[in-house]
Amino acid sequence: MPDNNHPVAVDVKKPAGPRKAVGLPRALRGSHGGPGEAPLGEPFGLTNFGVNLTTLAPGAVSALRHGHSRQDEFVYILEGCPTLHTDEGRTRLSPGMCAGFKAGGCDAHQLINETDETVAYLEVGDRTPGDEAHYPDDDLKAEMIKGQWRFAHKDGRPW
Amino acid sequence: MPDNNHPVAVDVKKPAGPRKAVGLPRALRGSHGGPGEAPLGEPFGLTNFGVNLTTLAPGAVSALRHGHSRQDEFVYILEGCPTLHTDEGRTRLSPGMCAGFKAGGCDAHQLINETDETVAYLEVGDRTPGDEAHYPDDDLKAEMIKGQWRFAHKDGRPW
């Protein structure tokens, strides 16, 4: 082990189970499954950005369609063929394809597994403070406060 | 195309040729080949972090063994079995393995392709300003100034 008590390398073949709803209002959770995630940067103590190995079972979606105000996001498809839903419409991705979502844009995105096979991808996001998320398809907005999302209706009333 | 003129998604199967030496002193370039790189974040206008699809031909190395003062780094192996060289010694990686290098640590790292097969991996690094790189095996240090590396001997004399 290095002197900082982090491993030299990690072999992550099986992500953990679906992530917690992290406070998402129950009325907006839907009946679809959420993603499974294995945090890959945390074992090494990384703090400037996060990397997840994320899986989507058939029918699962990555998140409500959203965009970020300050944090860039990036996905690289490892397995399966998820559908990327943006303002441009729906684009079927495949292994070796990638997409990036620049902070501050007016577009929003989500990945949907509309196939019968599991989808696996890497997702990267930085940790720029003061981030907010907008959700064009739902009565929802979110603000990152001390590392936790705080959700509200679009008119500001808390959920 | 989205209204920001960035593509919805990119399919990157063939990285560009070996990257430029970006000012690395000729005496330290060695006879090995350098990495080939395709920038994956730039087509989408990402600026908070960079993602490269990087290849190492047999015998090629990623860089002189180095560590960063402010920028975290992360690699995820897609193909082939590179050797990760750190202060802990040499660790053979394989597809699905990953490693992270926290900024400010005293360790240093490089990837070496000691096999007969091409290696391909994703590398992620953030863009925190004021970064410096240290090179424990070479008479070299580097400072990032306005997006360009400035190299010097360890005693401060410019190369």
Side-chain angles (χ1 to χ4, degrees):
Chain A
M1 297 284 284
D3 57 3
N4 56 11
N5 291 321
H6 297 138
V8 171
V10 169
D11 190 351
V12 183
K13 293 291 191 292
K14 292 190 178 181
R19 66 179 155 195
K20 298 173 184 173
V22 292
L24 189 68
R26 186 173 300 274
L28 296 175
R29 292 182 194 172
S31 58
H32 52 70
E37 288 182 339
L40 303 188
E42 292 178 11
F44 305 102
L46 305 191
T47 54
N48 293 350
F49 56 84
V51 184
N52 287 326
L53 173 57
T54 304
T55 55
L56 295 178
V61 302
S62 61
L64 293 176
R65 199 165 75 90
H66 70 284
H68 291 271
S69 65
R70 296 196 178 185
Q71 297 179 354
D72 289 350
E73 275 191 279
F74 176 87
V75 296
Y76 181 93
I77 309 303
L78 297 171
E79 298 175 16
C81 297
T83 300
L84 172 61
H85 181 196
T86 71
D87 286 356
E88 297 304 299
R90 300 165 89 89
T91 304
R92 182 62 65 93
L93 306 181
S94 57
M97 293 187 73
C98 61
F101 313 107
K102 178 64 192 150
C106 55
D107 205 351
H109 61 276
Q110 69 179 164
L111 289 174
I112 310 165
N113 185 355
E114 299 176 314
T115 76
D116 295 329
E117 307 293 331
T118 296
V119 163
Y121 59 95
L122 295 178
E123 57 179 356
V124 183
D126 65 274
R127 302 278 174 77
T128 302
D131 193 43
E132 298 179 1
H134 72 278
Y135 297 81
D137 306 331
D138 298 280
D139 179 19
L140 183 68
K141 62 180 183 179
E143 187 178 5
M144 176 68 81
I145 297 176
K146 295 181 179 178
Q148 299 289 326
W149 285 112
R150 183 173 299 176
F151 295 98
H153 293 269
K154 278 193 163 69
D155 64 6
R157 287 176 297 122
W159 270 92
Chain B
M1 297 283 285
D3 57 4
N4 55 12
N5 291 322
H6 297 137
V8 171
V10 168
D11 191 351
V12 184
K13 292 291 190 293
K14 293 189 176 181
R19 65 180 156 196
K20 298 173 184 176
V22 291
L24 189 69
R26 186 173 298 274
L28 295 176
R29 291 182 195 174
S31 58
H32 52 69
E37 288 181 340
L40 303 188
E42 292 178 11
F44 304 102
L46 305 191
T47 55
N48 294 349
F49 56 84
V51 184
N52 286 325
L53 173 58
T54 303
T55 55
L56 296 178
V61 302
S62 60
L64 293 175
R65 199 165 75 89
H66 70 284
H68 290 272
S69 65
R70 297 196 179 185
Q71 296 179 354
D72 290 351
E73 275 190 280
F74 176 87
V75 296
Y76 181 93
I77 308 304
L78 297 171
E79 298 175 17
C81 297
T83 301
L84 172 61
H85 182 196
T86 70
D87 287 355
E88 297 304 301
R90 300 165 91 87
T91 304
R92 181 63 65 93
L93 305 181
S94 57
M97 293 186 74
C98 62
F101 314 107
K102 178 64 193 150
C106 54
D107 205 351
H109 61 274
Q110 69 178 166
L111 289 174
I112 310 166
N113 185 356
E114 300 176 313
T115 76
D116 296 329
E117 307 293 332
T118 296
V119 162
Y121 59 94
L122 295 179
E123 58 180 355
V124 182
D126 64 273
R127 304 275 173 77
T128 302
D131 193 43
E132 297 180 0
H134 73 278
Y135 297 81
D137 306 331
D138 298 280
D139 179 20
L140 184 67
K141 63 180 182 180
E143 186 178 5
M144 178 66 82
I145 298 177
K146 296 182 180 177
Q148 298 288 325
W149 285 112
R150 183 173 299 176
F151 295 98
H153 293 269
K154 279 193 164 64
D155 64 7
R157 286 176 297 121
W159 270 93

